[in-house]
């Protein structure tokens, strides 16, 4: 169980962003493309897990001072550093071998993700603001990977909204670090020295407002309406706003945004909001044929 925990399989949910191009292109039921994206998902998850391992390896001492991270396999001593490095190299070799067999362009994008996150682990994560931008860029690269694998062009609007959403969650996570710093008196990460509560609160409000505006503009853009043959996509914005407000509630009221993945798995309100957003989008873009489903 400790070796499985080392890979952080719960965080593989982030790699589901690879399927976003399929969904927005109206090709979510194309079995061949789903299969290719699924194999790509496995390769991406191996590379992502290798990054988690090297990050934990470098942060062993810092993680031991963290109330939650101290339970990680390397920090707790359940897995030796040497074994962790061996698994790291194995995952990198297998991930890139599989990616190259699938699609060389996909392997290239995956290589950018790997290089960027290795640089993050080896020092860039200590630079305030840049650290959260790198985290957000990782989600954009996931979407780009899905588009490359399935030969689907990803719109600029979609890339922008994924980046903004990831940036929003990264800021919320940094805010949680400041909350822990206030409680324990210790910096959870070096980049935290460049943040304070006021700055992060303003940043959260700013980015959340931009996300809402960008999403509504995307749904009402002439190109979007022409592509999906409907003007009703703006109906789905209610779920985007509700989900963001719930996340802000968890952030400001509960002071508990340490892991977006944890919130995704545990918070029923956000789960239902995401489900309703997917369902509403599906009904609007998949069910209508020659005539609007609502007419």
């Amino acid at each position: 169980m400790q070796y499985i925990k080392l890979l952080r399989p719960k965080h593989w949910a982030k790699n589901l962003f690879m399927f976003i191009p399929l969904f927005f292109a109206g090709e979510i039921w194309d079995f061949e493309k789903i299969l290719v994206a699924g194999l790509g998902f496995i390769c991406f998850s191996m590379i992502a897990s290798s990054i988690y391992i090297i990050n934990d390896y470098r942060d062993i001492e810092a993680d031991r001072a963290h109330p939650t991270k101290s339970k990680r396999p390397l920090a707790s001593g359940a897995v030796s550093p040497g074994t962790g490095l061996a698994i790291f190299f194995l995952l990198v070799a297998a991930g890139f071998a599989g990616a190259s067999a699938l699609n060389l362009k996909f392997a290239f994008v995956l290589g950018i993700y790997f290089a960027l996150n290795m640089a993050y682990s080896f020092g860039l994560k200590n630079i305030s603001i840049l650290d959260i931008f790198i985290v957000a860029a990782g989600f954009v690269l996931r979407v780009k990977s899905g588009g490359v694998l399935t030969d689907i062009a990803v719109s600029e609007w979609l890339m922008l909204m994924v980046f903004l959403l990831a940036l929003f969650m990264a800021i919320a996570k940094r805010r949680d670090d400041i909350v822990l710093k206030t409680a324990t008196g210790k910096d959870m990460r070096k980049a935290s020295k460049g943040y304070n509560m006021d700055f992060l609160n303003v940043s959260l409000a700013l980015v959340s407002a931009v996300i809402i505006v960008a999403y509504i503009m995307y749904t009402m853009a002439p190109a979007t309406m022409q592509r999906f043959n409907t003007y009703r996509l703006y109906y789905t914005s209610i779920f985007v706003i509700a989900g963001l407000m719930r996340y802000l509630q968890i952030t400001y009221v509960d002071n508990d945004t340490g892991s977006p993945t944890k919130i995704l798995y545990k918070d029923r309100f956000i789960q239902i909001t995401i489900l309703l957003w997917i369902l509403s989008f599906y009904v609007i873009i998949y069910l209508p044929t020659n005539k609007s489903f609502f007419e």
Side-chain angles (χ1 to χ4, degrees):
M1 287 302 298
Q2 290 299 322
Y3 290 106
I4 294 174
K5 188 177 178 181
L6 181 68
L7 304 181
R8 299 196 209 175
K10 287 185 177 180
H11 288 265
W12 292 349
K14 299 173 184 177
N15 301 330
L16 290 174
F17 274 72
M18 293 178 64
F19 293 89
I20 285 180
L22 273 173
F23 181 74
F24 280 89
E27 298 183 35
I28 196 63
W29 299 120
D30 187 321
F31 178 76
E32 186 175 333
K33 290 188 176 181
I34 291 175
L35 179 60
V36 172
L39 293 173
F41 173 88
I42 294 172
C43 295
F44 209 109
S45 295
M46 286 192 285
I47 296 301
S49 289
S50 73
I51 295 296
Y52 293 139
I53 291 172
I54 203 68
N55 193 55
D56 287 352
Y57 177 82
R58 288 184 53 80
D59 288 348
I60 289 178
E61 295 302 322
D63 286 350
R64 285 172 179 165
H66 194 282
T68 303
K69 295 179 181 179
S70 60
K71 298 176 183 178
R72 289 177 177 174
L74 291 179
S76 66
V79 177
S80 68
T83 302
L85 284 178
I87 296 174
F88 163 78
F89 287 115
L90 181 63
L91 288 172
V92 171
F96 278 113
S100 299
L102 282 174
N103 187 305
L104 289 178
K105 288 184 179 180
F106 168 58
F108 177 73
V109 176
L110 190 57
I112 294 175
Y113 173 85
F114 179 76
L116 187 63
N117 280 275
M118 285 294 286
Y120 175 88
S121 296
F122 279 84
L124 294 186
K125 65 181 179 180
N126 298 324
I127 303 175
S128 304
I129 298 180
L130 179 61
D131 64 325
I132 58 176
F133 271 74
I134 292 176
V135 171
F139 283 87
V140 174
L141 289 172
R142 287 176 171 92
V143 175
K144 185 64 177 178
S145 293
V148 167
L149 273 174
T150 56
D151 197 26
I152 294 173
V154 182
S155 73
E156 295 82 358
W157 277 110
L158 185 57
M159 299 285 273
L160 176 62
M161 284 185 294
V162 168
F163 177 79
L164 288 170
L165 180 61
L167 188 63
F168 173 83
M169 292 188 293
I171 293 170
K173 192 171 182 179
R174 294 299 178 269
R175 187 183 184 278
D176 193 70
D177 290 338
I178 298 301
V179 171
L180 287 174
K181 178 182 177 180
T182 302
T184 63
K186 297 180 181 179
D187 282 316
M188 296 300 113
R189 62 180 81 230
K190 291 182 180 179
S192 296
K193 295 178 180 179
Y195 300 121
N196 61 33
M197 197 64 76
D198 290 337
F199 172 76
L200 292 171
N201 286 344
V202 171
S203 297
L204 272 178
L206 173 65
V207 175
S208 60
V210 174
I211 290 173
I212 292 172
V213 172
Y215 185 81
I216 293 175
M217 289 180 67
Y218 163 71
T219 59
M220 299 184 69
T224 304
M225 291 190 285
Q226 182 178 5
R227 181 178 182 181
F228 294 112
N229 196 30
T230 180
Y231 65 87
R232 295 178 173 85
L233 285 177
Y234 73 91
Y235 293 167
T236 62
S237 61
I238 186 173
F239 303 114
V240 173
I241 296 171
L244 284 172
M245 289 184 68
R246 172 56 181 162
Y247 205 94
L248 287 172
Q249 184 183 45
I250 295 171
T251 301
Y252 290 129
V253 180
D254 300 335
N255 282 323
D256 184 22
T257 51
S259 170
T261 308
K262 179 188 72 175
I263 292 173
L264 177 62
Y265 282 125
K266 293 185 177 182
D267 191 81
R268 292 287 180 241
F269 188 101
I270 287 183
Q271 289 173 355
I272 293 172
T273 301
I274 293 174
L275 181 62
L276 290 175
W277 175 80
I278 293 173
L279 182 61
S280 63
F281 218 102
Y282 179 86
V283 167
I284 291 172
I285 70 174
Y286 280 88
L287 294 189
T289 52
N290 295 328
K291 194 175 181 180
S292 173
F293 178 76
F294 298 96
E295 291 179 352

